[in-house]
């Protein structure tokens, strides 16, 4: 069996619109990957977008890791937003956990300003 590859990509680019970085989580994320998520998020400053469009599953421990980073960014005057497409199976998980009460959740990926 092939070992799982790191399923986290970070894009630091001015073309990401209002975000200093876009973090894409791909595949499934749970207790086994939270240290990878935390390590990927730790050095990020400024506004961050977490793209969950290629994420098939995310459990409460991974969501808590995102919320912890969001709180740290908020203390510095920044934010962490989520992109979860309208048809994503993750939408139900986020609804159950009332994540929209805590974070901005975009149905479409925010575009760069024209």
């Amino acid at each position: 069996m092939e070992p799982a590859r790191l399923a986290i990509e970070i894009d630091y680019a001015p073309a990401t619109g209002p975000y200093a970085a876009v973090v894409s989580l791909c595949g499934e994320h749970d207790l086994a990957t939270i240290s990878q998520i935390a390590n990927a998020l730790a050095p990020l400053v400024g506004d961050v977008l977490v793209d969950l469009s290629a994420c098939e599953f995310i459990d409460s421990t991974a969501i808590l890791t995102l919320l912890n980073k969001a709180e740290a960014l908020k203390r510095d005057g920044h934010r962490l937003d989520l992109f979860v497409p309208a048809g994503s199976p993750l939408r139900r998980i986020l609804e159950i956990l009332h994540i929209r009460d805590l974070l901005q959740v975009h149905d479409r990926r925010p575009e760069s300003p024209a």
Side-chain angles (χ1 to χ4, degrees):
M1 179 178 246
E2 184 178 319
R5 66 178 180 85
L6 182 64
I8 302 170
E9 298 174 12
I10 302 175
D11 180 21
Y12 302 95
T16 59
Y19 300 99
V22 175
V23 178
S24 299
L25 299 184
C26 308
E28 298 184 359
H29 293 279
D30 55 21
L31 185 60
T33 63
I34 60 170
S35 64
Q36 294 171 333
I37 296 170
N39 290 339
L41 294 173
L44 302 180
V45 293
D47 295 338
V48 173
L49 177 68
V50 177
D51 181 341
L52 298 176
S53 62
C55 187
E56 299 162 4
F57 175 80
I58 189 167
D59 79 352
S60 60
T61 59
I63 291 171
L64 182 59
T65 301
L66 296 176
L67 291 173
N68 287 338
K69 181 59 177 185
E71 189 60 34
L73 290 170
K74 185 177 178 180
R75 284 192 299 270
D76 293 331
H78 302 290
R79 70 183 196 277
L80 183 142
D81 292 351
L82 300 177
F83 165 52
V84 184
S88 171
L90 299 184
R91 297 202 61 89
R92 181 71 180 133
I93 295 169
L94 298 178
E95 287 173 15
I96 290 168
L97 296 174
H98 299 279
I99 295 302
R100 284 191 186 265
D101 295 341
L102 304 170
L103 301 175
Q104 175 71 40
V105 180
H106 300 276
D107 298 333
R108 293 180 295 164
R109 184 155 173 172
E111 299 294 328
S112 299

